[in-house]
Amino acid sequence: MTRKRGNKKKRPRIGIYCEGESEAQYFTMLSQKYNARNVHSQKINIKSMGESGKKLITESKLKGKANNESNLYVVFDRDEKSVEDIQQCRKLAKRYGITILFSSISFEIWVLMHFEPVMHSYTRKQLVNKLSTKKYFNQDYSKFKGSSYRPYLYDKIQQAEENAKKLENIHNNMDINDPFTNIHQHLKEIFNVDIL
């Protein structure tokens, strides 16, 4: 008598394409955290592209197709993009079936949410200065960027999600709101978890 194999649903291959090294390091940490406890871990490809906006979306579509990835995510921030630029990015991503993980003014808004709620805007310089203090990274954050977030954020993902939900109640428009992030909305689907 032969044994029948279970008909487990095959998990999709996921591509996460990031604007910079900080974002890639962050998602690598999450992949290690959630796939370590998930017996049926999936293939997640995380890559820093050094691109932003429409160029990142277009390049990610090509890479995702080449890597046979069915679920694609791009991670970038506002930089100097206008409202029109953001709207064009959203249209292009929708056409390609890509999900945008976006932060305004920068990814560091999301990083700060691992420590506290964020309800007002910061400049990039203000965020770097704040994150450099003893309460957060206790080092020059501008030099830290691109290093592993594991010692600082690994056990604070749920707190970041809660803080992001508070912000979402008042700032939920990617095109115009600052501060803004939607990263928390997609982490559970990416990593196939119920609780962060």
Side-chain angles (χ1 to χ4, degrees):
M1 187 156 89
T2 59
R3 292 179 74 184
K4 287 186 178 179
R5 290 192 154 191
N7 289 332
K8 290 184 183 163
K9 187 177 177 187
K10 189 175 179 182
R11 297 277 298 138
R13 291 175 63 96
I14 293 175
I16 303 173
Y17 295 94
C18 305
E19 177 178 7
E21 281 299 321
S22 295
E23 295 91 337
Q25 282 290 339
Y26 181 81
F27 281 93
T28 297
M29 175 194 73
L30 293 184
S31 182
Q32 292 165 350
K33 177 176 180 155
Y34 296 119
N35 284 329
R37 63 175 136 138
N38 186 349
V39 177
H40 304 291
S41 65
Q42 62 206 5
K43 174 67 173 147
I44 298 179
N45 179 30
I46 301 164
K47 184 159 178 54
S48 171
M49 303 287 285
E51 301 290 350
S52 185
K54 291 187 287 185
K55 187 159 177 119
L56 175 62
I57 294 166
T58 303
E59 299 255 335
S60 299
K61 179 66 176 172
L62 295 172
K63 295 262 187 203
K65 187 174 183 178
N67 293 331
N68 200 26
E69 296 159 347
S70 52
N71 293 8
L72 297 175
Y73 299 84
V74 293
V75 186
F76 63 95
D77 53 43
R78 184 170 302 280
D79 291 325
E80 305 304 319
K81 294 173 196 66
S82 68
V83 170
E84 185 180 332
D85 292 337
I86 302 298
Q87 290 170 342
Q88 289 174 359
C89 287
R90 286 193 303 108
K91 283 181 188 173
L92 185 61
K94 184 175 181 180
R95 182 165 26 131
Y96 288 159
I98 295 174
T99 301
I100 296 174
L101 305 181
F102 185 79
S103 296
S104 180
I105 188 77
S106 69
F107 181 70
E108 281 65 39
I109 284 291
W110 170 247
V111 172
L112 182 57
M113 287 183 185
H114 291 71
F115 299 96
E116 63 190 45
V118 179
M119 297 297 178
H120 66 86
S121 63
Y122 290 89
T123 65
R124 277 184 185 70
K125 185 175 181 180
Q126 288 170 330
L127 279 168
V128 166
N129 289 342
K130 186 174 182 88
L131 291 171
S132 296
T133 63
K134 190 173 185 177
K135 182 179 175 185
Y136 306 98
F137 288 81
N138 196 28
Q139 62 185 296
D140 184 345
Y141 183 82
S142 64
K143 293 179 181 172
F144 168 84
K145 286 180 72 149
S147 300
S148 174
Y149 284 105
R150 188 179 182 116
Y152 305 95
L153 306 182
Y154 190 82
D155 294 322
K156 297 182 178 195
I157 312 305
Q158 191 169 10
Q159 182 177 345
E161 178 192 36
E162 290 167 9
N163 289 333
K165 285 179 177 178
K166 290 175 189 172
L167 177 63
E168 185 178 28
N169 287 331
I170 58 169
H171 283 189
N172 55 22
N173 186 329
M174 178 190 303
D175 297 345
I176 59 171
N177 288 150
D178 181 25
F180 175 89
T181 191
N182 66 348
I183 292 173
H184 65 290
Q185 296 173 356
H186 303 284
L187 296 182
K188 289 176 183 173
E189 74 192 41
I190 292 170
F191 296 103
N192 193 31
V193 294
D194 296 324
I195 299 171
L196 293 175

